[in-house]
């Protein structure tokens, strides 16, 4: 800031001294003319050091230390107290303060104050030391008027420069603050997404992995006939392969979510989309003696973010398995009407209490337990609700405690 102000100050002084040169040339004051030319050359040197050599300190000290001896000479050869030197003395102090750091304020204030007192004392009590330059009142009027107006213009320009610089810095700070706010929001959003993704991964992959472990334990015991072992081998290969594909899809989608990449939309029929996932869940449900009946009244073609749709589908079916007791039934019905697709998942499980229904889709991270103490996070339905809205759809739930539940997902097919 000081460097910019100093640069502007030198321009002001340059114009001011040039005016004095012309005035002193006009009135014929050879001493003040020579002094003005000396200051003019000094200003050029300071300007050169500041702009060309980038030596701010040298320019600062040359300007600050030379200005008071020059003003003292000008005082004696410009009618002392009767002359306009004190206007320039005050302007000089303002200029030096504007280009000084805080440590120089006291020093330069003492220097300026001392210079004023000494010069005023000499002009008042030793008037005979000072030659009379003014020959008439017209010259006094012109000299004072020009010097005062030039000093006032210099102070006004400096104040305007300071205010403009302050405003500029304030805007820059505001921009940086806004950037930091946006960055913090982005970090918070990324952190929240990361937490959700961890929840999704643990929620969606846990049940298939548990099913694989249970199948392996059955085979390890060795109590099964050969034909059933062969069947389990085939089932294990299927569920492992499908779980691997599911994991790849989840991790791929998670990467896109965290990096805020462009939305990925696919055009596909729902039977092809849900087939592998449904087969995994049938194996998991079979271990609880639960049957899953999937009916396609129509096999709708959709153009949609398939990762989000699969996320909702997995969570709703897993919840149905989790809260349906052994021997129960889960009915999945997929239908289409116009531009809308309707996916209904109904179970005859434990149902949901009226109180819980009021805020069932709100974020509530806490452990939940199924009919066989399957542990969950409580985040599944909240994620379903959020992602349904991102797809432009909605989820409804109907339930009666002790008589099962039905979740209905309605989404646009995305086809024009």
């Amino acid at each position: 800031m000081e460097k910019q102000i100093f640069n502007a100050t030198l321009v002001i002084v340059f114009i001011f001294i040039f005016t004095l040169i012309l005035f002193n040339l006009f009135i014929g004051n050879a001493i003040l003319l020579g002094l003005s030319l000396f200051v003019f050359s000094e200003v050029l040197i300071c300007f050169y050091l500041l702009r060309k050599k980038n030596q701010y300190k040298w320019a600062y000290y040359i300007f600050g230390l030379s200005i008071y001896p020059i003003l003292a000479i000008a005082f004696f050869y410009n009618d002392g107290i009767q002359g306009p030197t004190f206007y320039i003395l005050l302007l000089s102090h303002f200029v030096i303060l504007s280009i000084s750091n805080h440590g120089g304020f006291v020093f330069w204030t003492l220097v300026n104050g001392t210079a004023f007192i000494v010069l005023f004392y000499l002009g008042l009590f030793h008037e005979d030391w000072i030659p009379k330059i003014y020959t008439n009142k017209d010259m006094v009027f012109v000299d004072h008027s020009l010097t005062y107006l030039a000093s006032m213009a210099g102070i006004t320009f400096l104040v305007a420069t300071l205010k403009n610089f302050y405003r500029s810095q304030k805007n820059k700070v505001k921009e940086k603050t806004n950037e930091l706010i946006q960055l913090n929001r982005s970090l918070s959003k990324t952190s929240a997404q990361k937490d959700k993704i961890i929840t999704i991964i643990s929620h969606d992959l846990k049940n298939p992995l548990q099913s694989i472990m249970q199948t392996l334990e059955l085979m390890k015991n060795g109590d099964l006939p050969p034909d059933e072992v062969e069947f389990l081998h085939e089932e294990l290969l299927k569920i492992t392969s499908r779980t691997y594909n599911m994991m790849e899809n989840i991790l791929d989608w998670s990467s896109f979510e965290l990096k805020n990449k462009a939305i990925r939309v696919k055009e596909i029929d729902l039977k092809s989309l849900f087939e592998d996932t449904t087969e995994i869940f049938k194996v998991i449900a079979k271990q609880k003696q639960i049957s899953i009946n999937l009916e396609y009244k129509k096999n709708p073609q959709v153009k949609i973010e398939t990762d989000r749709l699969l996320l909702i589908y997995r969570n709703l079916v897993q919840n149905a398995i989790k809260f349906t007791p052994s021997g129960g039934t889960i009915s999945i019905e997929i239908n289409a009407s116009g531009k809308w697709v309707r996916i209904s998942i109904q179970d005859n499980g434990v149902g949901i209490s009226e109180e819980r229904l009021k805020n069932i889709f709100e974020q509530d991270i806490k452990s939940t337990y199924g009919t066989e103490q399957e542990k969950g996070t409580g985040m599944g339905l909240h994620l379903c609700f959020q992602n349904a809205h991102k797809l432009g759809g909605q989820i409804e739930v109907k339930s009666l405690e002790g008589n099962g539940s039905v979740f209905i997902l309605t989404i646009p097919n995305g086809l024009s």
Side-chain angles (χ1 to χ4, degrees):
M1 181 182 71
E2 287 85 358
K3 188 175 179 180
Q4 290 185 29
I5 293 169
F6 196 7
N7 185 63
T9 299
L10 289 176
V11 174
I12 297 168
V13 174
F14 184 87
I15 296 169
F16 182 73
I17 296 300
F18 185 75
T19 305
L20 285 180
I21 289 171
L22 294 177
F23 180 74
N24 289 315
L25 190 63
F26 174 74
I27 65 174
N29 191 327
I31 295 175
L32 289 181
L33 177 62
L35 194 62
S36 299
L37 289 169
F38 175 77
V39 174
F40 189 80
S41 61
E42 187 179 41
V43 169
L44 290 177
I45 291 170
C46 290
F47 193 80
Y48 174 77
L49 289 172
L50 185 66
R51 295 296 298 270
K52 298 296 183 181
K53 295 296 185 178
N54 199 29
Q55 294 181 352
Y56 170 81
K57 285 188 176 181
W58 274 105
Y60 167 72
Y61 286 123
I62 289 172
F63 184 83
L65 294 174
S66 64
I67 198 165
Y68 288 102
I70 291 169
L71 285 175
I73 296 170
F75 178 81
F76 277 95
Y77 289 96
N78 200 13
D79 277 83
I81 295 174
Q82 303 302 318
T85 307
F86 289 139
Y87 303 145
I88 306 173
L89 185 69
L90 190 61
L91 173 63
S92 301
H93 182 57
F94 189 79
V95 167
I96 291 173
L97 287 186
S98 65
I99 63 176
S100 300
N101 55 32
H102 288 290
F105 277 27
V106 175
F107 172 75
W108 290 115
T109 300
L110 289 173
V111 170
N112 192 278
T114 303
F116 171 78
I117 291 169
V118 171
L119 291 176
F120 193 80
Y121 177 85
L122 292 174
L124 188 63
F125 295 102
H126 297 280
E127 193 175 353
D128 54 313
W129 292 5
I130 301 170
K132 300 296 181 183
I133 303 298
Y134 293 134
T135 57
N136 55 61
K137 291 184 177 180
D138 290 339
M139 190 177 290
V140 175
F141 176 79
V142 172
D143 195 12
H144 274 260
S145 297
L146 287 176
T147 307
Y148 177 81
L149 290 173
S151 299
M152 183 180 67
I155 290 173
T156 303
F157 187 83
L158 279 174
V159 171
T161 303
L162 286 168
K163 291 192 74 173
N164 285 334
F165 186 84
Y166 169 76
R167 193 179 298 112
S168 172
Q169 294 302 309
K170 185 179 178 182
N171 290 334
K172 286 180 182 178
V173 169
K174 191 175 181 180
E175 287 175 8
K176 292 294 182 184
T177 302
N178 288 335
E179 287 177 10
L180 287 173
I181 289 171
Q182 293 298 325
L183 181 61
N184 284 334
R185 285 177 181 170
S186 178
L187 288 172
S188 297
K189 184 179 178 182
T190 302
S191 179
Q193 285 177 323
K194 179 196 69 178
D195 293 340
K196 287 180 182 178
I197 287 165
I198 291 171
T199 302
I200 290 166
I201 292 171
S202 63
H203 189 276
D204 287 14
L205 294 180
K206 183 175 64 178
N207 286 343
L209 290 174
Q210 282 180 339
S211 179
I212 292 169
M213 287 171 62
Q214 289 170 1
T215 303
L216 288 171
E217 284 176 2
L218 282 173
M219 295 173 67
K220 181 183 176 182
N221 291 335
D223 298 331
L224 300 173
D227 58 337
E228 194 164 340
V229 170
E230 187 177 349
F231 171 76
L232 285 175
H233 267 124
E234 292 178 4
E235 288 298 306
L236 187 60
L237 181 61
K238 286 180 185 178
I239 194 170
T240 303
S241 175
R242 285 165 175 160
T243 302
Y244 178 79
N245 290 333
M246 181 191 290
M247 180 189 70
E248 274 197 326
N249 288 333
I250 292 172
L251 292 176
D252 195 21
W253 171 77
S254 301
S255 175
F256 272 75
E257 284 285 291
L258 282 174
K259 294 175 182 176
N260 291 316
K261 290 189 177 179
I263 294 171
R264 298 190 304 165
V265 174
K266 293 180 184 176
E267 187 170 343
I268 193 172
D269 65 89
L270 289 186
K271 188 171 184 179
S272 300
L273 181 64
F274 291 157
E275 188 173 13
D276 283 351
T277 302
T278 304
E279 288 303 313
I280 291 174
F281 286 136
K282 280 184 177 180
V283 173
I284 295 170
K286 189 176 180 181
Q287 292 172 355
K288 286 183 70 175
Q289 286 81 50
I290 296 170
S291 61
I292 295 179
N293 302 317
L294 176 57
E295 181 182 1
Y296 291 91
K297 287 195 173 179
K298 290 184 180 179
N299 182 18
Q301 191 84 5
V302 294
K303 187 177 182 181
I304 203 166
E305 286 184 81
T306 53
D307 296 314
R308 292 194 191 279
L309 182 55
L310 278 170
L311 171 63
I312 299 169
Y313 182 74
R314 285 196 303 267
N315 274 280
L316 293 179
V317 176
Q318 281 186 120
N319 269 6
I321 295 171
K322 180 179 174 182
F323 294 106
T324 299
S326 180
T329 302
I330 296 170
S331 300
I332 303 172
E333 183 182 286
I334 295 173
N335 204 347
S337 176
K339 293 184 177 180
W340 295 92
V341 174
R342 186 175 182 271
I343 301 168
S344 170
I345 300 170
Q346 185 170 4
D347 64 66
N348 59 355
V350 297
I352 305 166
S353 67
E354 190 174 338
E355 183 180 350
R356 173 69 178 132
L357 273 174
K358 293 176 183 176
N359 57 359
I360 193 167
F361 293 118
E362 292 181 7
Q363 184 170 333
D364 186 18
I365 303 176
K366 64 179 182 180
S367 296
T368 56
Y369 295 89
T371 54
E372 293 188 6
Q373 297 302 300
E374 304 100 318
K375 188 177 180 182
T377 62
M379 273 289 292
L381 290 177
H382 175 66
L383 291 169
C384 290
F385 180 79
Q386 281 191 325
N387 283 281
H389 277 272
K390 287 181 180 179
L391 292 174
Q394 62 178 9
I395 297 180
E396 300 174 71
V397 57
K398 299 175 184 177
S399 183
L400 186 63
E401 195 167 11
N403 288 319
S405 307
V406 56
F407 286 83
I408 302 166
L409 171 65
T410 307
I411 54 170
N413 60 25
L415 301 170
S416 55

